């Protein structure tokens, strides 16, 4: 079966062969099955040992714990929103069908496209972002930054890299807004309403292809379907059901997630999010999906206005530094554990809160604070009931018996 994966996180490495970065339209691809098909996002190498384990069915803290639970259909309640709400971003009048000139489009938008590099656990990953305010607000996919402990942004024409933090994110729509620190006077992208898009419209996709950095790669193509529903995941895990998606045939690569889908006038009509691949390490896709600009602007404006919304998470979330899965009876018996339910720890991040508390691989977490943990489904909410920096009691069982310790929660981006 074809796979659709996130296009976010590409391990840093040598620049790819430039011949792999086509500028010509890709041939029309076959349409994917209609409805709620299961696709993998082209996550492309979250380069962390513990996170690679997560792709096989585990998670780190909350944001990666939900990776192994594709059945999660709700998002936890929000943290306190930011103050000082921003003015809403408005869509401009859409393009009127001008001939597509990829080089002219690049000249309009490249200075407003940034490279995003993150630290996730003990490794690095990369994606793309769009500058949406002159003071450094940047739009990207939530999956580009989720689970990260550090975000660095490279801006065209500036010699240094900048730190950034998450303002707010809607994981259910795979949208996040981050703030680059210590910048001003930046160019911004321009949005057009996605409501006027039609199948066959010419588009350009651009982004940090293969995590190479430098001038964004361009690939032109057309819209092949509208209002698509997919279930996208990272390497077979961390899935979300995404609706209202734009399907295109512009060739895109790992690292392009968070980059713009542009009309012939260089206006943003979507955000690159997922693509079809034939295997986890595939490097190109020409059946791709983008979040529609009308969806983007609705959520971004809610985040920038600090609107309370159960789907939006503001700031960092709690982190204990384990990858885990639901304990089953067979595994409990095999490991000789005197416990019937809980979250089985498959890996522990060295130096993380759980490691410091003495939790080891094959331990079963049974409670966090006052919350009982009976499965991986309940581990994430139990952690998210507490804030980063808070001291929390945690209980677990291993082959030597039952244990309880108090740890200080770390913080990761949602």
């Amino acid at each position: 079966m074809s796979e659709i994966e996130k296009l976010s996180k590409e391990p840093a490495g040598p620049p790819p062969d430039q011949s792999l970065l086509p500028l010509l339209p890709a041939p029309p691809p076959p349409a994917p099955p209609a409805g709620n098909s299961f696709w993998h996002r082209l996550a492309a190498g979250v380069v962390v040992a513990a996170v690679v384990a997560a792709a096989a069915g585990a998670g780190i803290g909350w944001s990666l714990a939900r990776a192994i639970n594709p059945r999660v259909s709700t998002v936890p309640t929000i943290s306190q929103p930011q103050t000082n709400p921003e003015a809403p971003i408005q869509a401009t009048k859409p393009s009127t069908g001008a001939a597509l000139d990829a080089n002219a489009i690049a000249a309009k938008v490249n200075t407003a496209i940034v490279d995003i590099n993150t630290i996730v656990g003990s490794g690095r990953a990369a994606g793309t972002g769009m500058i949406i305010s002159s003071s450094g607000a940047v739009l990207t996919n939530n999956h580009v930054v989720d689970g990260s402990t550090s975000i660095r942004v490279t801006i065209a024409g500036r010699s240094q890299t900048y730190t950034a933090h998450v303002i707010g994110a809607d994981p259910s729509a795979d949208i996040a807004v981050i703030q680059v620190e210590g910048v001003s006077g930046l160019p911004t992208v321009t949005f057009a309403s996605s409501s006027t898009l039609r199948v066959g419209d010419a588009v350009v996709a651009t982004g940090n292809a293969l995590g190479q950095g430098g001038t964004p790669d361009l690939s032109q193509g057309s819209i092949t379907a509208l209002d698509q529903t997919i279930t996208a995941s990272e390497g077979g895990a961390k899935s979300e059901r995404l609706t209202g998606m734009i399907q295109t045939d512009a060739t895109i690569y790992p690292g392009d997630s968070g980059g713009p889908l542009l009309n012939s006038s260089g206006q943003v009509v979507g955000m690159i999010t997922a693509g079809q691949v034939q295997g986890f390490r595939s490097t190109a896709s020409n059946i791709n999906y983008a979040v529609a600009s009308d969806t983007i602007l609705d959520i971004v404006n809610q985040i920038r206005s600090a609107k309370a919304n159960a789907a939006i998470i503001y700031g960092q979330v709690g982190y204990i530094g384990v990858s885990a899965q639901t304990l089953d009876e067979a595994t409990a018996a095999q490991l000789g554990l005197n416990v019937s339910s809980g979250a089985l720890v498959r890996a522990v991040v060295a130096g993380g809160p759980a490691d410091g508390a003495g939790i080891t691989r094959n331990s079963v977490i049974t409670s966090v604070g006052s919350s009982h943990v009976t499965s991986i489904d309940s581990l994430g909410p139990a952690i998210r009931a507490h804030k980063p920096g808070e001291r929390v009691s945690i209980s677990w069982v291993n082959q030597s018996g039952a244990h309880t310790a108090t740890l200080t929660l770390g913080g990761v981006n949602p």
Side-chain angles (χ1 to χ4, degrees):
M1 179 176 69
S2 300
E3 294 182 336
I4 294 285
E5 293 186 350
K6 293 182 199 169
L7 291 141
S8 63
K9 298 174 179 176
E10 172 61 22
D17 183 343
Q18 295 300 310
S19 66
L20 293 177
L21 309 179
L23 294 177
L24 298 176
N36 188 23
S37 304
F38 188 83
W39 307 100
H40 289 286
R41 292 180 185 160
L42 193 49
V46 181
V47 286
V48 191
V51 180
V52 170
I60 296 178
W62 160 248
S63 57
L64 291 182
R66 66 192 289 274
I68 68 93
N69 182 25
R71 298 186 306 280
V72 171
S73 59
T74 59
V75 177
T77 55
I78 63 169
S79 306
Q80 289 298 313
Q82 304 290 312
T83 56
N84 303 319
E86 301 282 350
I89 300 172
Q90 303 291 338
T92 60
K93 184 178 180 180
S95 166
T96 56
L100 187 144
D101 184 333
N103 291 327
I105 289 173
K108 289 182 178 182
V109 303
N110 276 356
T111 56
I113 307 303
V114 302
D115 298 335
I116 298 175
N117 292 277
T118 63
I119 301 297
V120 184
S122 59
R124 296 173 296 152
T128 307
M130 297 176 257
I131 302 173
I132 57 175
S133 79
S134 61
S135 58
V138 170
L139 166 69
T140 190
N141 284 133
N142 179 63
H143 75 258
V144 170
V145 295
D146 70 349
S148 63
T149 54
S150 171
I151 304 173
R152 303 287 298 183
V153 173
T154 303
I155 300 171
R158 303 205 176 193
S159 58
Q160 70 180 93
T161 60
Y162 297 87
T163 59
H165 63 271
V166 173
I167 298 173
D170 183 344
S172 66
D174 205 4
I175 291 172
V177 177
I178 66 174
Q179 176 64 48
V180 182
E181 298 163 10
V183 295
S184 61
L186 299 180
T188 61
V189 295
T190 300
F191 291 87
S193 174
S194 53
S195 64
T196 61
L197 294 176
R198 299 291 181 267
V199 172
D201 285 354
V203 289
V204 165
T206 181
N208 184 16
L210 300 176
Q212 65 179 339
T215 302
D217 173 55
L218 287 176
S219 180
Q220 65 188 62
S222 62
I223 294 172
T224 54
L226 294 165
D227 197 23
Q228 298 296 288
T229 296
I230 62 170
T231 299
S233 77
E234 240 178 277
K238 198 172 185 65
S239 65
E240 290 94 21
R241 185 173 184 268
L242 302 174
T243 61
M245 303 291 284
I246 302 167
Q247 182 183 326
T248 78
D249 61 8
T251 303
I252 51 180
Y253 297 85
D256 281 338
S257 265
L261 186 69
L262 302 156
N263 65 16
S264 58
S265 293
Q267 299 163 316
V268 177
V269 294
M271 177 169 60
I272 300 166
T273 297
Q276 175 175 301
V277 295
Q278 297 303 317
F280 181 63
R281 296 303 301 166
S282 295
T283 58
S285 168
N286 66 353
I287 302 179
N288 310 301
Y289 296 90
V291 181
S293 59
D294 288 352
T295 300
I296 292 169
L297 289 180
D298 178 48
I299 294 170
V300 164
N301 286 330
Q302 290 185 60
I303 292 172
R304 285 166 56 82
S305 67
K307 182 176 180 179
N309 183 321
I312 296 175
I313 301 170
Y314 291 93
Q316 289 194 320
V317 296
Y319 164 85
I320 62 171
V322 300
S323 57
Q325 66 187 48
T326 297
L327 177 71
D328 58 56
E329 292 182 5
T331 303
Q334 180 183 3
L335 296 175
L337 298 172
N338 187 26
V339 62
S340 59
S341 66
L344 176 66
V345 175
R346 304 306 300 172
V348 180
V349 176
D355 185 32
I359 298 173
T360 58
R361 185 174 185 272
N362 292 334
S363 299
V364 177
I365 296 173
T366 57
S367 71
V368 177
S370 61
S371 301
H372 293 292
V373 175
T374 57
S375 67
I376 192 63
D377 294 12
S378 55
L379 177 60
I383 295 169
R384 276 197 50 78
H386 305 274
K387 297 178 181 180
E390 186 175 342
R391 289 183 60 76
V392 177
S393 173
I394 187 166
S395 297
W396 70 96
V397 174
N398 59 22
Q399 291 177 334
S400 65
H403 309 270
T404 298
T406 299
L407 55 76
T408 301
L409 289 179
V412 295
N413 294 298

PDB file of all heavy atoms in Angstrom, residues 264-279:
ATOM      1  N   SER A 264       0.143  31.280  -8.639  1.00  0.00           N
ATOM      2  CA  SER A 264       0.970  31.885  -9.672  1.00  0.00           C
ATOM      3  C   SER A 264       1.380  33.315  -9.362  1.00  0.00           C
ATOM      4  O   SER A 264       2.256  33.868 -10.026  1.00  0.00           O
ATOM      5  CB  SER A 264       0.239  31.833 -11.022  1.00  0.00           C
ATOM      6  OG  SER A 264      -1.006  32.498 -10.934  1.00  0.00           O
ATOM      7  N   SER A 265       0.774  33.918  -8.349  1.00  0.00           N
ATOM      8  CA  SER A 265       1.168  35.262  -7.928  1.00  0.00           C
ATOM      9  C   SER A 265       2.086  35.250  -6.709  1.00  0.00           C
ATOM     10  O   SER A 265       2.382  36.304  -6.139  1.00  0.00           O
ATOM     11  CB  SER A 265      -0.080  36.095  -7.621  1.00  0.00           C
ATOM     12  OG  SER A 265      -0.819  36.347  -8.794  1.00  0.00           O
ATOM     13  N   GLY A 266       2.512  34.072  -6.275  1.00  0.00           N
ATOM     14  CA  GLY A 266       3.386  33.978  -5.125  1.00  0.00           C
ATOM     15  C   GLY A 266       2.665  34.118  -3.803  1.00  0.00           C
ATOM     16  O   GLY A 266       3.294  34.372  -2.774  1.00  0.00           O
ATOM     17  N   GLN A 267       1.346  33.945  -3.801  1.00  0.00           N
ATOM     18  CA  GLN A 267       0.559  34.005  -2.566  1.00  0.00           C
ATOM     19  C   GLN A 267       0.433  32.602  -1.967  1.00  0.00           C
ATOM     20  O   GLN A 267       0.295  31.610  -2.688  1.00  0.00           O
ATOM     21  CB  GLN A 267      -0.837  34.555  -2.864  1.00  0.00           C
ATOM     22  CG  GLN A 267      -0.829  35.962  -3.444  1.00  0.00           C
ATOM     23  CD  GLN A 267      -2.168  36.307  -4.095  1.00  0.00           C
ATOM     24  OE1 GLN A 267      -2.750  35.483  -4.818  1.00  0.00           O
ATOM     25  NE2 GLN A 267      -2.653  37.508  -3.843  1.00  0.00           N
ATOM     26  N   VAL A 268       0.462  32.517  -0.655  1.00  0.00           N
ATOM     27  CA  VAL A 268       0.362  31.232   0.038  1.00  0.00           C
ATOM     28  C   VAL A 268      -1.093  30.761   0.030  1.00  0.00           C
ATOM     29  O   VAL A 268      -1.977  31.445   0.538  1.00  0.00           O
ATOM     30  CB  VAL A 268       0.855  31.349   1.488  1.00  0.00           C
ATOM     31  CG1 VAL A 268       0.684  30.009   2.218  1.00  0.00           C
ATOM     32  CG2 VAL A 268       2.316  31.785   1.524  1.00  0.00           C
ATOM     33  N   VAL A 269      -1.322  29.592  -0.543  1.00  0.00           N
ATOM     34  CA  VAL A 269      -2.660  28.988  -0.539  1.00  0.00           C
ATOM     35  C   VAL A 269      -2.704  27.713   0.293  1.00  0.00           C
ATOM     36  O   VAL A 269      -3.766  27.135   0.510  1.00  0.00           O
ATOM     37  CB  VAL A 269      -3.150  28.691  -1.970  1.00  0.00           C
ATOM     38  CG1 VAL A 269      -3.369  29.987  -2.729  1.00  0.00           C
ATOM     39  CG2 VAL A 269      -2.181  27.770  -2.717  1.00  0.00           C
ATOM     40  N   GLY A 270      -1.547  27.276   0.786  1.00  0.00           N
ATOM     41  CA  GLY A 270      -1.502  26.080   1.613  1.00  0.00           C
ATOM     42  C   GLY A 270      -0.143  25.917   2.267  1.00  0.00           C
ATOM     43  O   GLY A 270       0.807  26.638   1.953  1.00  0.00           O
ATOM     44  N   MET A 271      -0.044  24.960   3.191  1.00  0.00           N
ATOM     45  CA  MET A 271       1.218  24.643   3.869  1.00  0.00           C
ATOM     46  C   MET A 271       1.520  23.161   3.692  1.00  0.00           C
ATOM     47  O   MET A 271       0.719  22.303   4.070  1.00  0.00           O
ATOM     48  CB  MET A 271       1.150  24.992   5.353  1.00  0.00           C
ATOM     49  CG  MET A 271       2.400  24.625   6.125  1.00  0.00           C
ATOM     50  SD  MET A 271       2.455  25.330   7.799  1.00  0.00           S
ATOM     51  CE  MET A 271       0.971  24.609   8.536  1.00  0.00           C
ATOM     52  N   ILE A 272       2.675  22.852   3.119  1.00  0.00           N
ATOM     53  CA  ILE A 272       3.081  21.474   2.845  1.00  0.00           C
ATOM     54  C   ILE A 272       3.113  20.671   4.140  1.00  0.00           C
ATOM     55  O   ILE A 272       3.706  21.100   5.131  1.00  0.00           O
ATOM     56  CB  ILE A 272       4.465  21.453   2.178  1.00  0.00           C
ATOM     57  CG1 ILE A 272       4.438  22.229   0.855  1.00  0.00           C
ATOM     58  CG2 ILE A 272       4.932  20.023   1.957  1.00  0.00           C
ATOM     59  CD1 ILE A 272       5.812  22.543   0.302  1.00  0.00           C
ATOM     60  N   THR A 273       2.490  19.493   4.115  1.00  0.00           N
ATOM     61  CA  THR A 273       2.348  18.731   5.353  1.00  0.00           C
ATOM     62  C   THR A 273       2.647  17.249   5.199  1.00  0.00           C
ATOM     63  O   THR A 273       3.288  16.658   6.054  1.00  0.00           O
ATOM     64  CB  THR A 273       0.922  18.904   5.910  1.00  0.00           C
ATOM     65  OG1 THR A 273       0.721  20.276   6.234  1.00  0.00           O
ATOM     66  CG2 THR A 273       0.701  18.071   7.160  1.00  0.00           C
ATOM     67  N   ALA A 274       2.188  16.609   4.130  1.00  0.00           N
ATOM     68  CA  ALA A 274       2.331  15.159   4.009  1.00  0.00           C
ATOM     69  C   ALA A 274       2.516  14.773   2.557  1.00  0.00           C
ATOM     70  O   ALA A 274       2.079  15.477   1.655  1.00  0.00           O
ATOM     71  CB  ALA A 274       1.097  14.460   4.579  1.00  0.00           C
ATOM     72  N   GLY A 275       3.173  13.622   2.345  1.00  0.00           N
ATOM     73  CA  GLY A 275       3.396  13.158   0.987  1.00  0.00           C
ATOM     74  C   GLY A 275       3.466  11.654   0.906  1.00  0.00           C
ATOM     75  O   GLY A 275       3.766  10.968   1.884  1.00  0.00           O
ATOM     76  N   GLN A 276       3.210  11.125  -0.275  1.00  0.00           N
ATOM     77  CA  GLN A 276       3.248   9.685  -0.495  1.00  0.00           C
ATOM     78  C   GLN A 276       4.673   9.236  -0.744  1.00  0.00           C
ATOM     79  O   GLN A 276       5.419   9.868  -1.484  1.00  0.00           O
ATOM     80  CB  GLN A 276       2.401   9.300  -1.694  1.00  0.00           C
ATOM     81  CG  GLN A 276       2.500   7.811  -2.036  1.00  0.00           C
ATOM     82  CD  GLN A 276       1.566   7.433  -3.156  1.00  0.00           C
ATOM     83  OE1 GLN A 276       0.373   7.613  -3.047  1.00  0.00           O
ATOM     84  NE2 GLN A 276       2.107   6.905  -4.227  1.00  0.00           N
ATOM     85  N   VAL A 277       5.042   8.139  -0.098  1.00  0.00           N
ATOM     86  CA  VAL A 277       6.338   7.518  -0.347  1.00  0.00           C
ATOM     87  C   VAL A 277       6.135   6.017  -0.434  1.00  0.00           C
ATOM     88  O   VAL A 277       5.105   5.488  -0.041  1.00  0.00           O
ATOM     89  CB  VAL A 277       7.347   7.837   0.776  1.00  0.00           C
ATOM     90  CG1 VAL A 277       7.655   9.319   0.821  1.00  0.00           C
ATOM     91  CG2 VAL A 277       6.834   7.361   2.120  1.00  0.00           C
ATOM     92  N   GLN A 278       7.148   5.339  -0.958  1.00  0.00           N
ATOM     93  CA  GLN A 278       7.068   3.888  -1.054  1.00  0.00           C
ATOM     94  C   GLN A 278       7.786   3.189   0.089  1.00  0.00           C
ATOM     95  O   GLN A 278       7.747   1.986   0.214  1.00  0.00           O
ATOM     96  CB  GLN A 278       7.665   3.433  -2.395  1.00  0.00           C
ATOM     97  CG  GLN A 278       6.901   3.969  -3.595  1.00  0.00           C
ATOM     98  CD  GLN A 278       5.435   3.583  -3.570  1.00  0.00           C
ATOM     99  OE1 GLN A 278       5.088   2.446  -3.252  1.00  0.00           O
ATOM    100  NE2 GLN A 278       4.566   4.520  -3.899  1.00  0.00           N
ATOM    101  N   GLY A 279       8.448   3.943   0.929  1.00  0.00           N
ATOM    102  CA  GLY A 279       9.144   3.394   2.085  1.00  0.00           C
ATOM    103  C   GLY A 279       9.562   4.528   2.988  1.00  0.00           C
ATOM    104  O   GLY A 279       9.623   5.679   2.568  1.00  0.00           O
TER     105      GLY A 279
END
